[in-house]
Amino acid sequence: MASKVSVVLTESIASKNLSVYELLALGRQPYTNWLGKLADTDVFIINKSIALLELEPFLDKKCFQLSDGQLQRALIARALIQDTDIILLDEPTTHLDLYHKVQILKLLKSIAHKTNKVILFTSHEIELAIQLCDKMLILDGRENAFNEPCKLIKNKNFDSLFPADTISFDANTGSFRIMK
C-alpha cells in the first residue's frame, strides 16, 4: 500500500529528533532492502524533492527546530519522495498563517501539475480552496457536489453551506460574508 498512496496527517511525527534528511529518507522505505540502504535512484528522488520544496537550508536541522510551515513542507516532501500516484493530506494548512497557507496550497497545486500526481486534501479553508484547487468536493451532508470551483459557484453549491442569517456566500467575489 505504501507504494500506492502516501499520507500526510495532522498528528505530530513520532520522533522530532530526526534530522530533516533522515525524515525525508524514510519516504523511500517501501523501496529499500530490509536494512533500509538507499540506492542511487533513491538518493536522486530525495534530492529532486529537496530542490522542488526548497529544503536545502534545513537538511541538517532536527525536526523540532523547524517552524510549523517548514515541517509541513518537509512532510510533503517525504510524501513526494515516497513516489506514489496519490498523495492524501489531512488539513495541510492547520496552524499556519495566511501567507504560509497560500504558499503550501500553491506548492501542492504546482506539484500536482508538474508530477501528474493526484493530490487530495481536506480543508476548512474554503475561500483559499476556491482560488487554488482544480476541483473540489463539498461535503455538505446532502448533495456533496464535486466539480471545478467556478462551476460549483455557478451551481450555487456554496450558498447553503452555512445558515443564511449568519454567513452568506458572494458569488461575485468568491468569498463568504458575515451577516451583521
Side-chain angles (χ1 to χ4, degrees):
M1 184 66 152
S3 63
K4 304 280 186 228
V5 178
S6 52
V7 179
V8 178
L9 300 172
T10 55
E11 301 165 357
S12 184
I13 59 174
S15 176
K16 286 195 174 186
N17 206 32
L18 292 171
S19 72
V20 170
Y21 190 86
E22 290 168 333
L23 174 71
L24 298 178
L26 287 175
R28 297 304 300 160
Q29 192 172 13
Y31 309 102
T32 60
N33 62 22
W34 64 277
L35 292 174
K37 181 157 176 43
L38 298 173
D40 291 342
T41 304
D42 298 317
V43 173
F44 175 79
I45 291 169
I46 292 168
N47 289 336
K48 196 166 84 171
S49 293
I50 288 169
L52 181 64
L53 283 110
E54 301 174 355
L55 292 171
E56 294 90 348
F58 312 110
L59 296 180
D60 294 326
K61 285 190 172 190
K62 299 291 185 183
C63 291
F64 70 81
Q65 296 174 304
L66 302 178
S67 71
D68 288 340
Q70 293 164 345
L71 181 58
Q72 192 66 3
R73 279 191 7 232
L75 292 170
I76 291 168
R78 184 186 64 182
L80 192 57
I81 288 164
Q82 200 171 325
D83 198 24
T84 60
D85 291 333
I86 301 170
I87 300 174
L88 303 176
L89 300 103
D90 182 24
E91 295 279 352
T93 58
T94 300
H95 307 301
L96 301 179
D97 61 34
L98 181 60
Y99 171 77
H100 289 99
K101 286 179 186 195
V102 171
Q103 187 181 39
I104 291 292
L105 293 180
K106 286 177 80 172
L107 177 65
L108 290 173
K109 183 172 187 166
S110 172
I111 290 169
H113 290 193
K114 285 179 183 176
T115 64
N116 220 18
K117 294 182 183 297
V118 173
I119 298 181
L120 179 65
F121 65 92
T122 60
S123 181
H124 289 95
E125 305 289 341
I126 302 169
E127 291 180 11
L128 292 178
I130 288 171
Q131 295 178 61
L132 295 170
C133 290
D134 295 327
K135 292 194 177 180
M136 294 176 67
L137 170 64
I138 302 173
L139 297 175
D140 62 7
R142 297 180 308 273
E143 188 177 339
N144 299 326
F146 175 73
N147 215 323
E148 297 168 13
C150 59
K151 291 181 181 173
L152 292 170
I153 291 171
K154 183 179 177 184
N155 294 338
K156 301 182 184 282
N157 293 108
F158 296 105
D159 291 4
S160 61
L161 277 182
F162 302 104
D165 62 337
T166 308
I167 301 171
S168 67
F169 183 74
D170 182 344
N172 294 323
T173 63
S175 62
F176 291 92
R177 300 273 183 228
I178 298 169
M179 305 305 291
K180 296 181 182 182

